[in-house]
Amino acid sequence: MNRQHFTRQWLAVAITAALATGAAYAQDANSSAQAPTKDSAPAKGQASDQKSAKTLDQVVVTGTSAAGGLKKIDASYSVVSVSAADIKMANPKSTADLLKVSPGMWPESTGGQTGANIEIAGFPGGGDAPFFTTQMMGSPLYGMPTLSFFETTSIFRLDDTVERAEILQGGPSVVYGDGQMGATANFILKQGTDVPSGSIGVTYGSEGLWRTDAFLGFKIADKWYGSIGGFYRDSDGVRSPGYSADKGGQFTATLSHDMDNGTLVFYARQLNDRNQFITPIPLIQRGSDNFSAYPGFDPLTDTYYSKDIQHVNLPGYPGGGTSANLANGRGAKFSFFGFNFDYDLGDGWNLSDKFLMNGGDADTNALFSGTNPASLTDELYNLGTDFGGFKLPPGSATATYVNGGGAVDPNQSVIHQGWWYIHKHLKNINNDFRLSKELFDGNTLTAGVYLAHYTDDDAWNLGNQMLMTNTPNARPIKVSYVGTDGKTYQLTDYQGLLDYGSYNITESGRSTNKAFYLSDSWRIDRWLIDASARIENQDSSLRVCNLTNQNLDGNPLTLYDNEVPVCNGTFATTDYNKTHTSWTVGVNYELADNMSVYARANKGAHFGDFDNALRGNTTGNTPPLQKVQNFEFGYKFQNKYVYADISAYHRQFSGLPYQPTNGEGVPVGSPLLYGSDSKGINMVGAVTPVENLKLQLVANYLDGHYSHYAACIPYVNQVTGNGCAYINGVQLQRQPKFRYMFTPSYTMPFSWGDVMAFVTYTHVGPHTQDQTGLQQLGTYYTLDFGIVADIQKTWELRLQGTNITNQLGLTESNSRIFGSAAGAGGVILARPLEGREVNFQVKYKF
């Protein structure tokens, strides 16, 4: 039995067990086993419904050393707490997409379920997620926040086992956990209950989605509780490739024990999910930021992916080649085990320990954009090699379809794209130990030690340019031609591949982080003052194989494999050992029981990762630490009618590296260093003018630009030609100047339950592709909706939809192109939003 089939069967058995056990409990407990009402207090061990409490009275556990957490009104930093109900209401397309509920967070959800680019206002990322950490139960999922072809939301899926998420930006996060200076999302799992409770739900989506979710929390023995749950789904995807775009599931279990003076929680999770990684498609650009459909391509639903290009053989893959499958996408097969232990030692002493061990594969099977499309004739004969052409002798070529044969029309629009395969095996173990002592009334000192050891073992096969039709669900093309010497040359192989990779490396990374931190918190009447410092060392080593070009088959007439870079048995090793001290100081003043103000300053650092600091550099010549200086001020208020959480910040960066690459993603030249300066405002607010009507707003404004690099940056551009650009004063890439989500909702009570209806209007302001600001991505809006009916507290019916008016909006253009990406005729490769998607769920709760 293969692993995929085994996992599918395991999930089915687990869900069935949850249902069977839940039904038995429901018979015994009758109505008392129903889910708690919105106004009821949860039983011991039961997942709390934070909707029942005032928002400012909610307790957050992220970014604080306080035993048992800290009320939001007392937190001198920006944190958004998202309940399980709020997560459902947001209808996120992925784990990363949920971050949109936090102002200033900008997750690009156009690439699919995984591999999101996550931007944070004022933190100049520009791709992947270097300034973002995913935590589960307070433990980081990996020692580094991002690697090439990996960011941590890729190994976490949302389902009914999640009680809530806490999203923290800046503030004290430079001291705790992994010392993330950007943003942290901490996902808290549901635990067992005194009164058994659970749910089973089935969802159908208009994109061909079928999904089953289940959860059960139960009592095992006195003060011992357990929970199990998970999901399984199969979806064609809004951009259907002709096979399952997203397929897989997740299983989670917890075991918790309440002691007289503390708690102990064990948790385990198994993830096996594969997801289509969506490639930019062609559009037409008019002016600087107006976009429309490319003829023959629906920008809302089409994709290049197809059954014709699904399976390939990649001879350039390290170790002698491999087969690969686009249906495996950019998914994850990961296992997790962790525990949290909190204990009151008495006499003002408290102990806390968080441990996580996890590991698995996070592979990538995907297309990556190259040059812009052109007619077959232009591609073969007219365009120069700098623009993706081949400059063959006029009339010399024969082009036929790989599958089904037949000559290709010379006027057919074609494109060549990289069929990339990256095998990534990751392991991680970390532990965060804290000991606190109340020194005197209101003053608590906390000392902590954070240790993490993690590894990365990769094999890359980048390049593999495949010639294909520039059409939805593309068809591969093979080409041969007769040279001026009368010999017949094979331009592509039998699959349509123009090469067997341009960067075929193995990579092995090992890293250990050691950090010690001290934090003192002092409550004086309505004042709460905290000061914290952290000293951290990262000791990393990376070994990458050296490459030598080889003619794989020894035949000079097969051009696709004449110069394939392969590992030659030697290796380049880079060591990285850096130490840095971070600190933060915060002051919170409670003006009244429902209102507070705060101010905070911090300085933090971003250590280098295996791919963006070590690979390609030598020991002692790695980039310097990226450093941030952050000042923020905030105001929080809540009464019967209004809730407001407003913060303003000033963030300055130094040591930001930019590594120029060619069209195949291979580094070119030395990295450049620059900085940035940003000011902005974040806001979360809600108004309840009358009973049952609620108006919610999530909004941010950003004035951010690059700084500290006065010279002109030369760049390679395969569409418009090479050039040079100044970046000082240019808007931070991929970050909207402003963004807001406005959600009016209304609840209609009936004798049998209630119905809530809502609409979310989202506006995204001007944003750009890269540091040059030359490629504008425009503005756009979307409309989402939801109708949720609760029937007798047992049944829930949910109808929700995203982008219901089919708006065309871009989050990214061709990331292989630096500068303007629009070529002849205004053709541009870009990632637009997916079109309308509607799903309906029936859930039974007990």
Side-chain angles (χ1 to χ4, degrees):
M1 180 182 294
N2 62 36
R3 183 175 179 181
Q4 175 188 341
H5 181 68
F6 175 76
T7 302
R8 184 166 58 245
Q9 294 300 318
W10 180 28
L11 287 169
V13 170
I15 290 171
T16 302
L19 286 174
T21 310
Y25 275 123
Q27 290 175 358
D28 293 339
N30 200 4
S31 61
S32 64
Q34 295 177 353
T37 64
K38 293 179 180 179
D39 296 324
S40 65
K44 179 65 175 174
Q46 188 174 45
S48 63
D49 186 353
Q50 297 201 8
K51 302 286 275 188
S52 65
K54 287 184 179 179
T55 304
L56 291 183
D57 288 336
Q58 292 176 2
V59 173
V60 294
V61 297
T62 310
T64 177
S65 63
L70 191 68
K71 286 185 178 182
K72 286 187 69 174
I73 195 171
D74 295 326
S76 53
Y77 52 90
S78 173
V79 60
V80 174
S81 186
V82 192
S83 68
D86 294 331
I87 292 173
K88 289 288 187 181
M89 189 171 175
N91 200 19
K93 288 181 173 290
S94 64
T95 301
D97 193 43
L98 176 64
L99 304 176
K100 64 190 177 185
V101 303
S102 179
M105 298 292 290
W106 174 236
E108 297 178 0
S109 59
T110 54
Q113 287 281 314
T114 60
N117 298 310
I118 300 173
E119 302 294 338
I120 306 150
F123 288 83
D128 295 319
F131 304 121
F132 175 77
T133 291
T134 307
Q135 292 184 353
M136 180 162 54
M137 300 294 283
S139 292
L141 298 189
Y142 190 70
M144 293 171 174
T146 195
L147 298 171
S148 292
F149 311 103
F150 172 74
E151 47 78 32
T152 51
T153 68
S154 294
I155 54 175
F156 190 94
R157 300 292 184 274
L158 296 171
D159 61 18
D160 287 346
T161 65
V162 174
E163 176 190 314
R164 71 183 189 277
E166 294 177 358
I167 306 171
L168 168 66
Q169 293 186 47
S173 59
V174 296
V175 171
Y176 301 114
D178 62 342
Q180 175 58 263
M181 64 185 189
T184 297
N186 184 17
F187 293 91
I188 311 300
L189 299 176
K190 293 179 181 177
Q191 298 172 33
T193 58
D194 266 330
V195 178
S197 63
S199 63
I200 175 72
V202 177
T203 305
Y204 172 74
S206 58
E207 76 279 24
L209 166 71
W210 284 101
R211 174 171 170 142
T212 301
D213 287 85
F215 174 78
L216 175 65
F218 49 90
K219 183 176 181 178
I220 299 174
D222 184 35
K223 297 185 179 181
W224 285 92
Y225 307 93
S227 73
I228 55 175
F231 79 92
Y232 186 80
R233 57 94 187 275
D234 192 343
S235 172
D236 295 337
V238 175
R239 302 185 186 278
S240 175
Y243 47 82
S244 293
D246 301 294
K247 189 171 185 177
Q250 181 172 262
F251 179 76
T252 305
T254 71
L255 174 66
S256 56
H257 177 48
D258 286 350
M259 297 167 279
D260 292 339
N261 296 315
T263 60
L264 175 64
V265 182
F266 295 98
Y267 58 94
R269 172 173 280 201
Q270 181 69 39
L271 170 66
N272 188 350
D273 195 32
R274 61 193 193 196
N275 315 100
Q276 180 182 195
F277 184 68
I278 298 171
T279 302
I281 61 171
L283 295 153
I284 300 296
Q285 176 177 326
R286 293 180 176 85
S288 63
D289 58 2
N290 185 278
F291 305 95
S292 59
Y294 179 89
F297 244 102
D298 188 329
L300 300 169
T301 61
D302 282 340
T303 177
Y304 282 111
Y305 290 47
S306 71
K307 288 185 176 180
D308 286 335
I309 60 175
Q310 177 183 349
H311 298 280
V312 291
N313 179 50
L314 301 174
Y317 181 79
T322 188
S323 58
N325 183 355
L326 276 180
N328 291 331
R330 188 167 178 172
K333 296 179 181 179
F334 244 77
S335 302
F336 303 83
F337 171 77
F339 68 79
N340 286 11
F341 178 59
D342 295 279
Y343 199 78
D344 185 345
L345 299 169
D347 195 28
W349 289 90
N350 282 276
L351 179 152
S352 177
D353 193 58
K354 293 179 173 62
F355 171 85
L356 176 63
M357 177 174 60
N358 57 297
D361 296 336
D363 294 353
T364 296
N365 300 259
L367 299 182
F368 286 82
S369 301
T371 56
N372 277 11
S375 71
L376 178 64
T377 295
D378 283 343
E379 197 86 1
L380 295 178
Y381 305 120
N382 299 327
L383 289 176
T385 55
D386 288 345
F387 296 91
F390 306 110
K391 278 292 186 179
L392 302 181
S396 63
T398 299
T400 58
Y401 291 110
V402 169
N403 300 313
V408 181
D409 187 332
N411 296 314
Q412 171 67 53
S413 181
V414 300
I415 192 171
H416 47 89
Q417 303 196 76
W419 206 124
W420 294 11
Y421 175 56
I422 301 94
H423 171 63
K424 185 173 289 291
H425 184 71
L426 305 173
K427 293 181 181 178
N428 173 75
I429 183 170
N430 59 59
N431 194 85
D432 191 347
F433 175 84
R434 302 179 188 180
L435 189 63
S436 299
K437 173 68 167 106
E438 186 177 22
L439 300 179
F440 51 87
D441 188 31
N443 186 281
T444 300
L445 180 67
T446 299
V449 175
Y450 171 78
L451 300 173
H453 180 72
Y454 44 99
T455 64
D456 171 29
D457 291 290
D458 292 3
W460 294 18
N461 189 199
L462 310 190
N464 299 312
Q465 292 291 306
M466 177 179 280
L467 186 63
M468 62 186 72
T469 58
N470 181 42
T471 60
N473 305 123
R475 299 178 65 185
I477 297 169
K478 56 184 179 181
V479 176
S480 63
Y481 72 95
V482 178
T484 55
D485 56 3
K487 297 178 180 179
T488 300
Y489 292 84
Q490 303 298 322
L491 184 65
T492 73
D493 76 349
Y494 68 97
Q495 306 169 102
L497 291 176
L498 291 156
D499 63 72
Y500 284 161
S502 57
Y503 198 55
N504 304 328
I505 63 165
T506 60
E507 174 178 298
S508 180
R510 302 289 182 268
S511 189
T512 299
N513 284 52
K514 304 177 290 292
F516 173 76
Y517 56 89
L518 279 175
S519 177
D520 188 81
S521 176
W522 193 3
R523 185 180 293 276
I524 309 171
D525 191 26
R526 290 183 175 272
W527 293 88
L528 183 61
I529 305 168
D530 68 86
S532 308
R534 170 192 183 103
I535 183 168
E536 181 172 8
N537 170 262
Q538 178 174 307
D539 186 359
S540 305
S541 180
L542 183 72
R543 192 178 80 155
V544 180
C545 74
N546 294 316
L547 301 174
T548 299
N549 289 344
Q550 289 187 12
N551 186 326
L552 293 190
D553 65 3
N555 183 356
L557 301 181
T558 53
L559 302 182
Y560 49 81
D561 71 349
N562 281 357
E563 294 185 352
V564 181
V566 298
C567 294
N568 60 19
T570 66
F571 299 86
T573 300
T574 305
D575 295 321
Y576 178 95
N577 193 314
K578 292 186 182 293
T579 301
H580 186 265
T581 300
S582 301
W583 59 264
T584 182
V585 176
V587 178
N588 190 84
Y589 181 69
E590 195 172 320
L591 297 167
D593 291 342
N594 64 340
M595 179 168 46
S596 65
V597 294
Y598 68 86
R600 178 170 293 277
N602 68 29
K603 293 190 91 171
H606 176 76
F607 288 93
D609 63 65
F610 294 131
D611 295 313
N612 298 296
L614 278 74
R615 181 170 50 85
N617 294 304
T618 58
T619 301
N621 293 292
T622 54
L625 293 178
Q626 301 174 45
K627 298 179 182 180
V628 63
Q629 177 175 276
N630 184 29
F631 301 95
E632 53 189 301
F633 312 90
Y635 171 77
K636 301 172 186 177
F637 171 81
Q638 185 172 26
N639 64 15
K640 181 179 179 180
Y641 301 104
V642 176
Y643 169 73
D645 186 346
I646 305 170
S647 62
Y649 58 83
H650 182 199
R651 294 166 178 160
Q652 295 173 303
F653 272 77
S654 63
L656 293 170
Y658 170 70
Q659 176 60 67
T661 62
N662 63 18
E664 295 176 333
V666 179
V668 177
S670 301
L672 311 172
L673 296 176
Y674 56 99
S676 71
D677 192 295
S678 302
K679 304 176 184 68
I681 298 175
N682 292 336
M683 176 182 179
V684 176
V687 177
T688 309
V690 296
E691 187 178 8
N692 297 326
L693 175 63
K694 190 173 185 179
L695 309 175
Q696 300 179 79
L697 179 68
V698 174
N700 76 278
Y701 171 77
L702 168 67
D703 177 15
H705 61 269
Y706 296 110
S707 63
H708 298 89
Y709 196 88
C712 193
I713 298 177
Y715 61 81
V716 175
N717 187 307
Q718 295 173 298
V719 173
T720 61
N722 302 343
C724 180
Y726 291 93
I727 66 171
N728 261 7
V730 174
Q731 176 186 348
L732 296 186
Q733 68 181 120
R734 309 270 274 275
Q735 296 191 26
K737 287 187 176 180
F738 53 87
R739 179 182 73 93
Y740 63 86
M741 297 169 55
F742 176 61
T743 304
S745 62
Y746 189 76
T747 301
M748 295 165 280
F750 298 94
S751 60
W752 44 263
D754 58 54
V755 175
M756 181 186 69
F758 66 88
V759 174
T760 298
Y761 175 88
T762 301
H763 179 87
V764 176
H767 51 299
T768 67
Q769 170 60 29
D770 58 35
Q771 294 94 325
T772 69
L774 296 175
Q775 181 56 60
Q776 296 289 319
L777 298 175
T779 66
Y780 65 86
Y781 78 90
T782 61
L783 277 175
D784 306 334
F785 82 96
I787 302 173
V788 185
D790 290 308
I791 304 171
Q792 297 297 329
K793 302 176 185 176
T794 302
W795 290 95
E796 178 184 278
L797 306 180
R798 180 181 295 269
L799 180 70
Q800 291 191 211
T802 57
N803 197 13
I804 59 175
T805 56
N806 278 329
Q807 296 303 306
L808 176 59
L810 305 187
T811 65
E812 177 184 0
S813 67
N814 186 348
S815 61
R816 312 271 95 72
I817 301 297
F818 194 69
S820 176
V827 178
I828 183 175
L829 295 173
R831 276 179 172 164
L833 303 176
E834 290 181 333
R836 181 188 304 113
E837 182 269 339
V838 178
N839 61 69
F840 177 68
Q841 183 185 65
V842 178
K843 177 178 285 188
Y844 176 71
K845 300 182 288 187
F846 48 87

